[in-house]
Amino acid sequence: MKNMKKTVVFAAAALACSAVLADEVRNYRAEAVAMMKRDFKAKGIATTDRLHEDGVQAVCNRSGDNPPKDIAVRLERDQLDAVKYPADGKLMGDWKAGEKLAQSGRGMTWSDKAGVPGGGNCYNCHQISPTETSFGTIGPSLYQFGKTRGSGPDMQKYVYGKIWNAKAFNLCSAMPRFGHANALNEQQIKNLVALLLDPQSPVNK
Amino acid sequence: MADPMKIRAQMKGDTAEIRVLMSHAMETGQRKDNTGATVPSHFIQSITVDVGGKRVIQGQTGTSVSRNPVFGFKVKGAKAGDKVIINWVDNKGDKRTDEATIAA
Amino acid sequence: MDALRRTLLKGAGATGAIAAAIAAGVLKPSQVLAAEWNRAAFDAKDVAGAVKGLGGAGAADHAGIVIKAPDIAENGAVVPVDVSSSIPNTVSLAVLVDKNPLPLSAAFDFANGALPEMALRLKLGQTSLVEVVARTADGKFYKAKKEVKVTVGGCGG
Amino acid sequence: MKQRLSTLLVAAMMSAAFAVHAQQPARKAAPPAKKDGITAEFEKFREVLEEDNPAELFEARGEDIWKNRKGPAGASMAQCDLGLGAGVVKGAYVQMPRYFADVAQVMDAERRIVHCMVKYLGYNEADIRKQPFSNVNKTPDHVSVITYVAAQSRNMKIAAPQKHPKEKEAYNIGKEIFAYRAGPYDFSCASCHGADGMRIRTQDLPNLRKPAEAIRAYQGWPGYRMTGGFMLTQQWRMNDCFRQQRFPEPSYLSDSITALLAYMTVTANGQVYKGPGIKR
């Protein structure tokens, strides 16, 4: 926590020197945020505090998702430090449950119910199993992920961490931070790790 | 009462192309509303098309036809100016008849 | 009584009494249609039953029947299908969706210059075979089919 | 606590620093997908679907309301000024959002039409807000009227004005809302609509920063939604995008949505409108 604070102060200070044009332009960004806070209302589980940026969002929003490298590296490290790995040390779950989870696009919208586990939303953006032809292209294809990259302990740890918090590896990644945001629980992430890495998973056939 | 159909009829060579849009729920009888109750089936069962005073098409339909149905037909030997009359009747006895004139 | 009325009545299995009523001008054709909706065919739960209900059991495959439909539907709720037959003297076309709870979608008779061709839009609950059965004036039946895939479309949430 | 503090710090010290950077195009997308089989297959049948669009049924309903409906005081939509003069419908749709002096506000088409239906035809705004969007049981009257008005701009060039300072302001604020990442999934509008060649599942996602793609999004709505078989509007599209963005709900006809629509429409300026649409 201290670490995070320090990094942000450092990051902000490092950037302050280029803040010259600031007052000459109208701050539409601030006006936009104020307008949204006025116009958006809580509905179901989607409360208005979701309109506040956290540190990572703030940096990415202000840099057009292209933050200076040194800042990105520091904030990524903070994010990685906060990844919670399973206490039992087991990172691979059940790929079949993972496939089912990957199919579901539910979770955390105002039409989703509190306490009902959300889906992985994976196929919305990624190609995964070859049998599913309806897949998005916002993220890279994950077909044959384990086959081409291996499925050893390091790879398992990387994949678990990536799903838990994608921003730990690429600060302004388009991918949600599923563990960090409590969108997926530990067992769900294990199952997704298995979908990508288990040699028995259709992904690696 | 049901909304009017939209009928387009146009000559292409010696053939009239007729397209019709119908306003109808085409309920399958399998859908559940948000209270969980089954919505009763309600769908068009019969369609007739008359061109220039002659019955050229009669058809029967079931619940697999999409909501707000669209049909296209071709009638050889029809002429610009001929009247096209289309009629449908659904399983509840609701019906609708509309007409159009074949454009050149 | 013109050709179309005859084929329809035959296809729908009209009783002699109704045919007589039409001939006598008591019933209008549209009333007959409503009365004579081919329940046996449309209520059949599988393709075989529906085709049998149409009187076309044992229809032979024929390349003269053309089915234009997407390989993958953008949305299973509205699948545009265009069917036609170049088999001489085709007087009727029926369209079926094999995986739907009630496969028979439409059965149309053509006469007085109407070409044996129609465009329509179908609901496909899942990936299915769209089957078309054509009937010729001499009462012979032919068929053809095409697979249409239905996939998950939106965000799924 | 940790998050809140860092947000404040970053916000205070960095907003100025990045004001310029923020104008740049956003992150690189995943490798721009070539037109694959699925997209190509859908496009083959788009023309067939668009040729006979059931939206026309709703257009006819809307035309009837526009031309024949009378309010309690005998007023009609002939008194409604959509920006080109009272009762003028032709071309009005593609020239909104615009500033309307009578309300001293920028309004998008839906907002203006609802405003007129309340003012002249006596519709109750609270009732409209109870069900602003169509569902399988009901397509509200204002949605049919919007469909009619939109259809009266078919084949015309988009020309959303940027003369009035409030119109420029709406555009600029809309552009910022478009890029604003927040919420549990860290999504902004741009997460899905900020780069070329992206798809959710099989659904194409136009890059709304480009005119030729912004027009595709613009003319999709009002559109006939094949799922369910009813008409949905741009206000609905924005609403449901924010739902999937995992944001709270934007109020119907709010400034934020008008601003976003101003950004999208102005980006599409000069392109020819081919709507109303038909969408999956």
Side-chain angles (χ1 to χ4, degrees):
Chain A
M1 174 158 166
K2 261 188 206 145
N3 191 13
M4 174 79 162
K5 241 188 278 179
K6 243 193 295 180
T7 305
V8 171
V9 172
F10 174 86
L15 284 158
C17 56
S18 60
V20 183
L21 294 172
D23 298 334
E24 292 173 24
V25 289
R26 191 167 153 185
N27 193 344
Y28 286 116
R29 185 180 186 285
E31 291 183 46
V33 174
M35 188 183 278
M36 293 172 85
K37 288 184 177 171
R38 197 173 70 228
D39 288 342
F40 284 60
K41 311 287 181 211
K43 184 168 182 178
I45 59 173
T47 47
T48 50
D49 60 339
R50 293 183 176 191
L51 292 170
H52 297 291
E53 301 160 293
D54 77 354
V56 168
Q57 290 165 344
V59 167
C60 294
N61 279 339
R62 283 171 178 75
S63 65
D65 286 332
N66 193 16
K69 195 148 188 266
D70 54 338
I71 293 173
V73 167
R74 278 159 196 276
L75 289 179
E76 282 165 8
R77 201 182 56 213
D78 286 348
Q79 296 286 303
L80 189 59
D81 287 348
V83 173
K84 288 196 197 91
Y85 289 94
D88 64 4
K90 286 200 187 111
L91 297 173
M92 292 257 270
D94 170 11
W95 69 261
K96 283 182 189 147
E99 167 69 19
K100 220 170 138 193
L101 191 60
Q103 290 282 355
S104 169
R106 302 204 65 89
M108 302 205 109
T109 73
W110 70 60
S111 50
D112 290 306
K113 299 225 160 36
V116 177
N121 290 260
C122 311
Y123 281 105
N124 283 352
C125 299
H126 297 281
Q127 179 178 30
I128 312 174
S129 293
T131 44
E132 180 51 84
T133 53
S134 175
F135 55 83
T137 59
I138 296 173
S141 171
L142 304 176
Y143 175 52
Q144 303 225 309
F145 191 93
K147 199 171 182 179
T148 53
R149 301 186 190 213
S151 55
D154 286 353
M155 187 50 65
Q156 290 179 25
K157 194 175 179 204
Y158 165 70
V159 173
Y160 189 96
K162 178 81 181 177
I163 298 170
W164 209 93
N165 189 340
K167 270 72 175 179
F169 303 90
N170 171 6
L171 192 69
C172 298
S173 163
M175 182 164 153
R177 294 170 277 176
F178 288 102
H180 172 91
N182 285 320
L184 293 175
N185 63 34
E186 184 180 294
Q187 188 55 48
Q188 288 178 309
I189 297 178
K190 286 182 177 185
N191 293 341
L192 291 174
V193 172
L195 176 65
L196 294 187
L197 297 182
D198 192 321
Q200 297 309 310
S201 163
V203 170
N204 300 315
K205 290 292 179 190
Chain B
M1 200 188 67
D3 280 344
M5 292 176 233
K6 294 283 280 187
I7 302 171
R8 254 195 298 268
Q10 185 157 30
M11 291 305 298
K12 276 223 175 118
D14 65 346
T15 302
E17 291 196 2
I18 299 167
R19 318 282 302 181
V20 56
L21 301 175
M22 300 171 177
S23 181
H24 203 285
M26 298 302 286
E27 285 291 352
T28 58
Q30 322 237 349
R31 190 173 67 84
K32 294 217 179 355
D33 67 16
N34 42 20
T35 67
T38 302
V39 181
S41 70
H42 184 207
F43 61 101
I44 293 174
Q45 283 190 322
S46 85
I47 294 164
T48 61
V49 182
D50 290 11
V51 175
K54 280 187 201 152
R55 175 72 36 100
V56 295
I57 285 158
Q58 39 196 31
Q60 301 187 343
T61 48
T63 53
S64 299
V65 170
S66 302
R67 187 177 167 99
N68 296 319
V70 174
F71 292 98
F73 306 108
K74 290 179 180 169
V75 181
K76 207 170 174 167
K79 309 181 298 294
D82 280 357
K83 199 175 267 184
V84 176
I85 301 172
I86 302 182
N87 165 275
W88 60 251
V89 181
D90 71 23
N91 65 325
K92 292 184 179 172
D94 294 340
K95 58 184 107 184
R96 176 93 215 172
T97 303
D98 290 285
E99 56 181 66
T101 303
I102 299 177
Chain C
M1 193 150 104
D2 66 22
L4 182 53
R5 212 173 293 170
R6 260 195 318 272
T7 52
L8 178 92
L9 290 173
K10 199 163 126 202
T15 63
I18 289 174
I22 295 173
V26 180
L27 275 176
K28 291 204 165 68
S30 65
Q31 291 171 298
V32 174
L33 267 173
E36 292 293 320
W37 187 68
N38 190 343
R39 187 164 297 282
F42 280 98
D43 280 356
K45 303 258 190 301
D46 55 32
V47 169
V51 174
K52 196 175 155 213
L54 291 166
D61 288 335
H62 201 298
I65 300 169
V66 177
I67 306 170
K68 277 188 221 157
D71 297 335
I72 304 170
E74 185 174 346
N75 189 328
V78 183
V79 179
V81 176
D82 192 299
V83 301
S84 62
S85 167
S86 59
I87 304 168
N89 299 314
T90 301
V91 293
S92 169
L93 292 171
V95 185
L96 304 97
V97 179
D98 76 333
K99 295 282 172 55
N100 280 3
L102 303 173
L104 184 56
S105 310
F108 277 68
D109 292 344
F110 308 91
N112 294 318
L115 302 179
E117 173 173 352
M118 59 188 287
L120 72 170
R121 294 174 186 183
L122 301 176
K123 292 172 206 157
L124 268 64
Q126 54 184 299
T127 296
S128 300
L129 290 172
V130 172
E131 285 206 31
V132 173
V133 175
R135 180 161 51 88
T136 54
D138 57 357
K140 291 207 170 73
F141 287 85
Y142 303 94
K143 66 178 164 63
K145 54 190 155 201
K146 179 186 190 321
E147 189 189 51
V148 176
K149 286 202 173 72
V150 174
T151 61
V152 182
C155 291
Chain D
M1 183 61 190
K2 174 174 76 177
Q3 298 297 0
R4 201 53 56 80
L5 183 62
S6 53
T7 302
L8 285 176
L9 278 167
V10 173
M13 302 186 68
M14 292 177 62
S15 64
F18 279 128
V20 178
H21 296 279
Q23 304 302 313
Q24 292 169 355
R27 93 198 131 76
K28 289 164 278 190
K34 277 169 233 110
K35 246 179 217 150
D36 57 30
I38 287 178
T39 308
E41 184 67 12
F42 287 178
E43 280 182 5
K44 264 200 308 207
F45 285 85
R46 280 313 300 181
E47 207 179 316
V48 177
L49 290 169
E50 282 164 16
E51 209 170 292
D52 293 293
N53 185 346
E56 284 185 46
L57 298 166
F58 298 91
E59 187 185 323
R61 223 184 263 177
E63 181 175 13
D64 183 49
I65 295 168
W66 185 279
K67 290 184 172 161
N68 302 321
R69 198 69 63 87
K70 293 270 188 293
S76 75
M77 291 300 266
Q79 285 152 274
C80 177
D81 184 353
L82 296 176
L84 305 179
V88 178
V89 182
K90 191 103 197 133
Y93 185 76
V94 288
Q95 296 181 56
M96 290 183 274
R98 72 157 62 227
Y99 178 77
F100 289 93
D102 60 340
V103 289
Q105 260 182 340
V106 176
M107 290 178 144
D108 57 87
E110 186 155 351
R111 205 169 171 183
R112 186 64 180 177
I113 287 165
V114 168
H115 168 82
C116 284
M117 289 175 75
V118 169
K119 188 169 175 187
Y120 300 113
L121 299 185
Y123 280 79
N124 182 320
E125 187 172 335
D127 286 345
I128 289 177
R129 286 178 180 279
K130 255 180 236 156
Q131 197 205 322
F133 309 127
S134 308
N135 60 32
V136 74
N137 298 316
K138 186 185 167 196
T139 292
D141 284 350
H142 64 276
V143 173
S144 295
V145 175
I146 291 157
T147 307
Y148 165 65
V149 171
Q152 292 298 304
S153 282
R154 194 180 290 131
N155 296 324
M156 298 177 80
K157 274 191 182 167
I158 317 273
Q162 282 285 282
K163 288 202 190 80
H164 195 280
K166 287 275 180 200
E167 291 166 348
K168 287 183 193 153
E169 175 188 283
Y171 169 86
N172 282 302
I173 290 176
K175 190 176 180 181
E176 293 292 341
I177 294 175
F178 180 80
Y180 186 72
R181 298 181 75 172
Y185 278 16
D186 309 324
F187 286 163
S188 69
C189 304
S191 300
C192 291
H193 293 285
D196 294 349
M198 298 207 290
R199 238 173 47 198
I200 284 180
R201 289 281 188 163
T202 57
Q203 188 66 46
D204 251 344
L205 301 165
N207 177 356
L208 297 183
R209 290 186 167 113
K210 285 187 169 173
E213 298 208 23
I215 181 65
R216 286 173 48 219
Y218 177 88
Q219 70 193 12
W221 313 100
Y224 180 76
R225 187 79 190 267
M226 292 188 254
T227 305
F230 43 80
M231 290 302 298
L232 290 168
T233 63
Q234 288 185 342
Q235 286 273 339
W236 169 82
R237 180 62 276 173
M238 298 294 149
N239 179 280
D240 204 57
C241 273
F242 279 114
R243 185 182 66 85
Q244 289 170 342
Q245 215 172 303
R246 274 73 183 177
F247 272 41
E249 186 180 34
S251 299
Y252 182 56
L253 309 179
S254 60
D255 292 339
S256 297
I257 302 301
T258 301
L260 267 174
L261 290 174
Y263 173 58
M264 181 174 79
T265 312
V266 170
T267 305
N269 268 353
Q271 305 284 313
V272 177
Y273 176 62
K274 300 279 190 192
I278 179 164
K279 303 285 282 182
R280 81 162 300 282

